[in-house]
């Protein structure tokens, strides 16, 4: 794992960018979502600036969670790729939760996991007192988004555009706050951010 520190003097804070955890090829894979129909409609890759195709997940209670339906009510949906044994994921979740509590009316986080069972995901959520949805997904979905390290966060803006893909843990709640503030602003205009640092400027 690599750790790069960038000092943002103008903002009076530090943002820690971590390469994150690599997924072990020896870890048993258990996947249940997205549905076959959704998988069939996905392209082989999705890149910055692309409009997200129809994408839905099924939670442990059999309820369907659709990104497009969420965007009818929310101004931002974050797909956060993670797995239970990822140490940096564990460091990121508490600060993500703090910002989520402030912005949950306009922001939804879907913490999606390509490696652990639904039971393990539910146990992790309860153990860590996390309130945003935590769901299983396929390894193929992670490949479609080009995920090669964990955690990775994909921001889908109110127009359904993939506007930022951030690889690495964010360990400062103020960074999440600034991120959510940008996307929920009444002045927001859909655009692509090549780095979270562009938002922090």
């Amino acid at each position: 794992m690599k750790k790069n520190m960038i000092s943002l003097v103008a903002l009076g804070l530090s943002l820690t960018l971590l390469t994150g955890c690599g997924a072990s090829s020896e870890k048993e894979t258990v996947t249940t979502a997205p549905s076959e129909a959704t998988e069939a409609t996905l392209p082989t890759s999705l890149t910055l600036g692309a409009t997200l195709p129809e994408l839905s997940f099924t939670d442990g209670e059999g309820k369907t969670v659709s990104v497009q339906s969420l965007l009818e009510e929310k101004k931002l949906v974050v797909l956060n790729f993670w797995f239970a044994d990822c140490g940096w994921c564990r460091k990121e979740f508490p600060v993500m939760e703090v910002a989520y509590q402030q912005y949950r009316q306009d922001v939804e986080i879907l913490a999606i996991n390509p490696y652990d069972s639904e039971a393990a995901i539910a146990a992790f959520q309860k153990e860590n007192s996390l309130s945003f949805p935590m769901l299983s997904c396929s390894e193929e979905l992670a490949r479609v988004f080009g995920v090669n390290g964990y955690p990775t966060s994909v921001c889908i803006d109110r127009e359904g555009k993939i506007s930022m893909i951030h690889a690495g843990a964010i360990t400062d709640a103020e960074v999440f706050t600034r991120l959510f503030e940008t996307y929920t602003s009444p002045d927001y205009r859909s655009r692509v951010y090549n780095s979270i640092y562009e938002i922090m400027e």
Side-chain angles (χ1 to χ4, degrees):
M1 288 182 281
K2 300 177 181 177
K3 183 176 180 180
N4 300 321
M5 181 65 72
I6 302 257
S7 176
L8 301 175
V9 177
L11 295 174
L13 59 88
S14 293
L15 169 66
T16 304
L17 171 63
L18 305 163
T19 300
C21 305
S24 169
S25 60
E26 298 177 357
K27 178 179 280 293
E28 180 183 359
T29 301
V30 181
T31 59
T32 56
S35 67
E36 291 181 6
T38 302
E39 290 279 11
T41 63
L42 287 175
T44 55
S45 66
L46 288 168
T47 57
L48 282 173
T51 298
L52 185 73
E54 187 71 30
L55 181 60
S56 60
F57 304 89
T58 302
D59 66 18
E61 299 178 350
K63 179 182 177 182
T64 299
V65 181
S66 164
V67 174
Q68 282 71 20
S69 293
L70 288 171
L71 288 173
E72 293 176 5
E73 302 175 0
K74 309 290 184 177
K75 297 176 181 177
L76 171 68
V77 173
V78 179
L79 304 179
N80 180 263
F81 289 86
W82 70 286
F83 63 95
D85 289 339
C86 169
W88 289 117
C89 300
R90 289 175 175 269
K91 291 179 182 293
E92 180 177 69
F93 279 141
V95 296
M96 182 187 291
E97 176 71 25
V98 170
Y100 178 67
Q101 287 300 324
Q102 184 177 354
Y103 285 90
R104 63 186 303 166
Q105 181 175 345
D106 294 317
V107 173
E108 190 58 271
I109 297 169
L110 300 181
I112 52 180
N113 183 322
Y115 294 109
D116 298 298
S117 68
E118 290 181 355
I121 292 169
F124 182 97
Q125 183 171 22
K126 182 177 181 180
E127 174 189 345
N128 292 278
S129 301
L130 300 171
S131 60
F132 41 80
M134 305 190 81
L135 309 160
S136 64
C137 74
S138 66
E139 286 186 83
E140 177 58 29
L141 184 64
R143 285 192 288 270
V144 165
F145 282 101
V147 175
N148 54 24
Y150 292 81
T152 290
S153 292
V154 179
C155 293
I156 313 298
D157 73 9
R158 64 187 74 177
E159 295 185 12
K161 180 183 290 185
I162 302 169
S163 63
M164 189 177 73
I165 299 176
H166 176 79
I170 298 171
T171 57
D172 188 328
E174 188 170 350
V175 176
F176 272 116
T177 298
R178 185 68 175 272
L179 176 70
F180 295 164
E181 181 181 70
T182 297
Y183 280 96
T184 60
S185 168
D187 298 325
Y188 175 78
R189 297 293 180 270
S190 185
R191 57 165 290 185
V192 167
Y193 293 98
N194 293 302
S195 167
I196 198 168
Y197 304 119
E198 293 181 20
I199 291 178
M200 300 307 295
E201 290 175 351

